[in-house]
Amino acid sequence: GASGAMAGAEGSGSVDGRCQRFVAWILAQEVEVVVWDMDQTMSEGHCGDGLLKEEVDGYIAKASADFVEAALALHQTQGLRQAVATGSDPAEYDLPEHSRETHLCGPDLARALLQASCPEVLPSFEIMIGFDGRLHGNRPEDRGKRHHMRLIAEHYGVPFGRMLLIDDAPSNLTNEDGWRGILVSEAAGFR
């Protein structure tokens, strides 16, 4: 399960109750933007360097039901916005034997997952960043999700302290900017 907000809530009532407590916790922390990792968070699946289009339905079928419920609850909560920060990078379309005709990755895959699982939340996801620092020079300042979170903060015009990243990799939660994070179990996605 997720550490932080959802920890301890598992098994203590319905998912609806857990979700309500999760939203209440987010509001109590004065978070304005909840940022979701895609692989092993929004979905139990992992897309690697992009999925062949015929594999996309299988990835979408692994969408975390708890993510879908939480994204919907956040969408319905005034003053909260959402975003995606994924290591699946549109630059992967340019890798050998990859193309937009044969593969789906990055924000395109996140959008497909949202469209199939909970299309009503799409308006609260104004920005989706797909970035893999290894494809862009491996700059130290771009390690983890730093690059993603800086672009999302700029887009929404919010201070880092009002942002929360939900991710399955501890290294992605490390930052100097002051945004907060929740670590989820990579085996099950957001729970």
Side-chain angles (χ1 to χ4, degrees), residues 95-177:
L95 294 174
E97 300 181 24
H98 285 66
S99 74
R100 291 185 184 276
E101 289 73 41
T102 59
H103 286 74
L104 205 59
C105 64
D108 295 335
L109 183 56
R111 201 169 288 104
L113 184 143
L114 291 168
Q115 185 64 49
S117 303
C118 48
E120 59 275 28
V121 307
L122 276 167
S124 66
F125 283 83
E126 290 180 20
I127 183 168
M128 300 183 198
I129 302 295
F131 182 83
D132 181 343
R134 296 170 298 181
L135 300 175
H136 301 279
N138 255 340
R139 298 173 351 147
E141 63 269 26
D142 292 336
R143 284 189 322 267
K145 295 287 174 80
R146 291 165 177 85
H147 176 83
H148 306 71
M149 296 297 279
R150 289 171 183 156
L151 290 176
I152 293 165
E154 183 180 329
H155 174 83
Y156 282 127
V158 298
F160 293 115
R162 302 275 177 143
M163 297 174 67
L164 174 71
L165 173 62
I166 301 173
D167 202 298
D168 67 300
S171 61
N172 287 340
L173 301 176
T174 302
N175 74 96
E176 304 76 27
D177 295 324

Side-chain angles (χ1 to χ4, degrees), residues 7 22 28 47 54 60-61 68 76 83 101 121 130 139-140 163 167 170 187:
F22 176 63
C47 70
E54 56 265 22
I60 289 171
V68 170
Q76 294 170 343
E101 289 73 41
V121 307
R139 298 173 351 147
M163 297 174 67
D167 202 298

Side-chain angles (χ1 to χ4, degrees), residues 54-72:
E54 56 265 22
E55 298 171 341
V56 170
D57 288 345
Y59 182 89
I60 289 171
K62 295 179 182 176
S64 161
D66 289 341
F67 158 72
V68 170
E69 186 173 355
L72 185 58

Side-chain angles (χ1 to χ4, degrees), residues 1-2 39-41 43-46 62 64 167-169 183-191:
D39 287 352
Q40 299 179 311
T41 302
S43 172
E44 294 174 25
H46 197 281
K62 295 179 182 176
S64 161
D167 202 298
D168 67 300
L183 181 65
V184 301
S185 167
E186 65 183 45
F190 180 75
R191 297 276 182 256

Side-chain angles (χ1 to χ4, degrees), residues 21-31 34 74 80 164 166:
R21 287 190 295 278
F22 176 63
V23 172
W25 180 84
I26 285 174
L27 293 172
Q29 302 302 309
E30 300 183 348
V31 168
V34 176
L74 294 169
L80 289 179
L164 174 71
I166 301 173

